[in-house]
Amino acid sequence: MTVESYQRVQSDMVFDRIKVLFDSFGGSNYIGESVSITEHSLQAAYFTAKKSSEDEVIIASLLHDVGHILGLEIHQKMEMDGCGVEEHESVGANFLKKLGFCDRVCNLTRCHVQAKRYLCFKRPEYYQNLSEASKTTLKFQGGPMSVEESSSFESDSDFQNILLMRECDEAAKIPSSELTFTVPPLEHYRSMMASVVDASQYKGSYVLSDFQKDFFNKNSFVKIENLLSFENIAPSDVSTWTQEVSNLEKQEGKWLQHWEKSESGDKIMCRSENFVNFHENMRNLAMNSILNVVSQLFGEKAVLFKEKINYKLPGGAGFAAHQDSPAYIGLATDHISVMVAIDEATVENGCLQVCPGQWDSNSNVPLTSSGIITPEAEKAMVYQYVPCRPGDVLFFGGYTPHRSTANNSKSSRRAMFLTYNPESQGQHHAAYYQAKHAKVQGFDGAHTISFQGDFQGQIVE
Ligand SMILES: O=C(O)CCC(=O)C(=O)O
Ligand SMILES: [Fe+2]
C-alpha cells in the first residue's frame, strides 16, 4: 500500500467513526433545546463557515459537542442535572486528539465552554439571556471566569475564533421546521476533515473514548455495537468463516473440535478451538481492530492467548457462572476476553450475562472444586443480560463473572471468544494449546472442553 492510500484509508476511518457517532446517537435532543445534537452541530458548522474560511475553525465548530455524543454512546446517565455530560469538552478533545485531529482543532473544542464563562464575566447581561439549560451547566463548568482567568483567556491566539464559535453555537438552535436555508450534511465535511487530521497520529482502527474506558474500568465489560463494520467485515462473512472452521476435519495437534449431546439426544457441534493459525480471515479478525481495542483497554499491546467458537446450536447447553482467568492454568495473570457475536444473541437463545463491578484477581470470588463460582456467591451477584446483534463485540475482564443459559430456542447462537493478555506477560498461545491437546487435567480432574467445569452440556466424541 502506498503512503498516500494508507493515509486516505486512515482519514476515512476517522470520518466513519465520527459519522457512526452522529448517525447512531446524534438524533437525541440537544440538552434542553428543540434541535438534535446532529442538527445543532451541522448548523454551528454552517454559521461558522459563513464567517471563517479556516478549516480548523469550521471543523472544531462541527465537532465541539462530540463529547456529549460520546456520553450517549456509552449510554451514560445524564449528568449535570440532566444537561449533558460533565467535562464533555475535554473528553471530546482527548478523543479528537487520539483520532489524529490537529492540536488547533482539539484546543478549540476544549475551549468552547470557556467562551461562555468568559462572556458571563465580561457582560452580566449575557448571563441573564442564557437559556435555563445553559445556566445550569454553567454552574458545573466553574461559573463566570475570574479576572485572572479572563486575561489569560484573552491572550489565547485563537481568542477571537473561540468567541466566534460561541456565537455560532448559540445561533445553532433553529428547529428544522423553521429553517429557511439548507444546512449541508456531515458528508459535506469529509475532505475538509481529512485536511485537519494527521493520519500518522491516528491511534488505532477504532479509537475508544475516555467514557468507554471509564465504563470498562467501573464495570469490567463494555460492548461496542457493530465494531466489525469499522473493518468492513460483514457479519455474513464471519458466519461463512465460522462454517468453514466447523467443517475442518479433526487433525491431531491442530485445531480442536467438540460435540455435545443436545436435549433431544442429537450429536451437535459445541466448540471449535485453536483455529486462527489455520484460517487467514479469522486470524485477521483476531489481530486487527479487536486486538487494537484490547490494547487500549490494557494500556499496552495485547497478544492473543486463545480463541474458540461456542456454537450453542438449538438444544445446546449453557455455562455455569464462572470467571475465565482461573481456567488459564497460570499462563499470564491478566486477560481480557472478547465475544464476537456471529448470530444474534438473545435472552431466549442464551446470550451472555455479566455481573458488572470492578473485578480482578483480588476479588476472591469463592469457587467450587471444579472452578466455577459457588451457588451461594452467585446468588449474591446481580447479572445482566447482554443481547448482541451480529457484528457487535463485547469486551470483558478475565475476572468478570459471567454465565449463560441453554439455548431453548430454534435459532443458533454462535459466538466467537478471543482471549488476550498484555504482551509484557509473554506469548502463551502455543503452550496453552499444547496443554489442551495433551488433555492436561484441570480443576478437580474435570477436564472436558474447559480446564474448569463451566460447560453444562454432555460432551460426546
Ligand atoms: O458461550 C457462552 O455463552 C459462554 C461461554 C463462556 O463463558 C466460556 O466459554 O468461557
Ligand atoms: Fe467464560
Side-chain angles (χ1 to χ4, degrees):
M1 213 190 296
T2 63
V3 172
E4 292 75 39
S5 65
Y6 179 70
Q7 289 190 341
R8 199 188 62 241
V9 171
Q10 297 285 57
S11 63
D12 275 347
M13 287 174 105
V14 173
F15 185 81
D16 287 350
R17 179 78 171 92
I18 301 280
K19 180 159 167 45
V20 169
L21 281 173
F22 276 95
D23 288 352
S24 308
F25 308 102
S28 310
N29 230 40
Y30 182 62
I31 39 170
E33 311 287 351
S34 47
V35 287
S36 71
I37 299 188
T38 299
E39 289 170 324
H40 170 69
S41 304
L42 293 170
Q43 288 181 22
Y46 169 86
F47 288 129
T48 305
K50 290 254 169 265
K51 304 206 166 165
S52 168
S53 57
E54 291 191 274
D55 291 350
E56 282 111 331
V57 183
I58 298 167
I59 294 297
S61 246
L62 178 68
L63 301 178
H64 72 283
D65 273 339
V66 74
H68 280 307
I69 310 184
L70 293 169
L72 295 167
E73 178 184 42
I74 202 70
H75 305 297
Q76 199 168 76
K77 300 222 168 46
M78 279 302 208
E79 293 180 39
M80 296 200 289
D81 294 350
C83 293
V85 174
E86 206 167 348
E87 293 184 359
H88 76 277
E89 66 280 11
S90 51
V91 173
N94 292 347
F95 176 72
L96 296 178
K97 177 92 193 128
K98 283 188 279 183
L99 284 174
F101 280 88
C102 65
D103 287 341
R104 189 160 178 228
V105 169
C106 301
N107 291 339
L108 286 167
T109 302
R110 199 183 300 278
C111 288
H112 82 271
V113 168
Q114 299 307 318
K116 180 167 96 181
R117 296 188 55 224
Y118 173 79
L119 291 168
C120 288
F121 159 79
K122 212 59 186 174
R123 306 191 223 133
E125 75 282 5
Y126 180 87
Y127 174 81
Q128 296 310 327
N129 290 330
L130 286 181
S131 68
E132 279 315 306
S134 213
K135 280 183 186 159
T136 305
T137 51
L138 180 70
K139 277 192 279 180
F140 291 91
Q141 292 157 343
M145 276 186 176
S146 65
V147 182
E148 297 76 31
E149 283 174 316
S150 70
S151 57
S152 111
F153 186 61
E154 282 163 1
S155 63
D156 191 300
S157 56
D158 259 325
F159 171 64
Q160 291 301 341
N161 287 317
I162 298 169
L163 291 189
L164 168 65
M165 279 172 61
R166 176 71 201 171
E167 197 184 303
C168 298
D169 185 355
E170 279 165 26
K173 294 173 182 175
I174 307 173
S176 55
S177 57
E178 293 169 24
L179 274 179
T180 53
F181 49 88
T182 307
V183 180
L186 193 65
E187 191 60 40
H188 174 80
Y189 299 95
R190 182 186 282 269
S191 59
M192 194 188 291
M193 222 184 261
S195 75
V196 297
V197 165
D198 176 355
S200 70
Q201 296 302 308
Y202 183 55
K203 288 285 185 290
S205 29
Y206 177 96
V207 169
L208 287 180
S209 74
D210 293 348
F211 288 136
Q212 287 170 312
K213 278 207 247 180
D214 290 348
F215 186 93
F216 182 81
N217 292 337
K218 269 193 212 128
N219 299 292
S220 303
F221 81 96
V222 65
K223 178 169 107 174
I224 301 180
E225 285 167 19
N226 221 352
L227 177 61
L228 298 190
S229 68
F230 286 91
E231 275 190 79
N232 291 324
I233 296 176
S236 58
D237 291 338
V238 187
S239 178
T240 305
W241 305 337
T242 301
Q243 197 61 46
E244 288 164 5
V245 169
S246 76
N247 288 339
L248 292 171
E249 292 286 340
K250 247 186 161 171
Q251 265 199 45
E252 211 46 48
K254 292 197 170 174
W255 47 88
L256 291 150
Q257 306 282 33
H258 309 277
W259 288 264
E260 68 181 301
K261 200 168 172 180
S262 77
E263 283 278 283
S264 55
D266 298 332
K267 178 178 167 177
I268 55 173
M269 193 107 197
C270 72
R271 178 177 288 181
S272 300
E273 290 184 84
N274 192 23
F275 48 81
V276 297
N277 290 327
F278 311 103
H279 194 289
E280 196 178 345
N281 286 319
M282 286 299 204
R283 184 164 58 249
N284 286 338
L285 178 67
M287 299 304 182
N288 291 306
S289 301
I290 293 174
L291 183 141
N292 188 279
V293 170
V294 176
S295 302
Q296 293 173 57
L297 293 172
F298 276 138
E300 70 165 277
K301 189 168 184 301
V303 293
L304 186 67
F305 181 87
K306 61 170 277 182
E307 73 282 358
K308 66 191 171 201
I309 294 162
N310 283 350
Y311 291 89
K312 202 181 270 193
L313 302 175
F319 290 80
H322 67 280
Q323 300 164 304
D324 284 345
S325 283
Y328 299 154
I329 54 174
L331 300 173
T333 49
D334 298 316
H335 306 93
I336 288 177
S337 291
V338 180
M339 193 198 91
V340 180
I342 302 166
D343 298 315
E344 183 168 14
T346 62
V347 171
E348 293 72 33
N349 69 11
C351 69
L352 206 69
Q353 302 169 39
V354 297
C355 173
Q358 287 178 311
W359 300 102
D360 60 25
S361 58
N362 298 318
S363 304
N364 290 323
V365 172
L367 303 183
T368 67
S369 58
S370 65
I372 61 171
I373 296 172
T374 64
E376 301 75 51
E378 182 185 0
K379 259 191 225 110
M381 293 172 165
V382 179
Y383 282 80
Q384 92 182 48
Y385 289 99
V386 190
C388 286
R389 281 182 301 223
D392 289 355
V393 180
L394 170 71
F395 298 79
F396 58 102
Y399 286 93
T400 310
H402 58 286
R403 67 184 184 193
S404 65
T405 65
N407 181 355
N408 295 317
S409 80
K410 291 194 165 62
S411 67
S412 53
R413 193 239 61 182
R414 296 168 305 164
M416 182 154 30
F417 290 81
L418 306 160
T419 299
Y420 300 83
N421 65 267
E423 190 175 40
S424 62
Q425 294 178 10
Q427 299 269 2
H428 302 289
H429 193 271
Y432 178 80
Y433 282 112
Q434 223 165 9
K436 267 224 147 155
H437 281 294
K439 295 206 188 307
V440 170
Q441 298 283 294
F443 282 88
D444 204 21
H447 179 229
T448 55
I449 59 170
S450 167
F451 284 114
Q452 60 195 8
D454 53 338
F455 182 59
Q456 295 173 315
Q458 188 188 337
I459 297 295
V460 286
E461 287 300 319

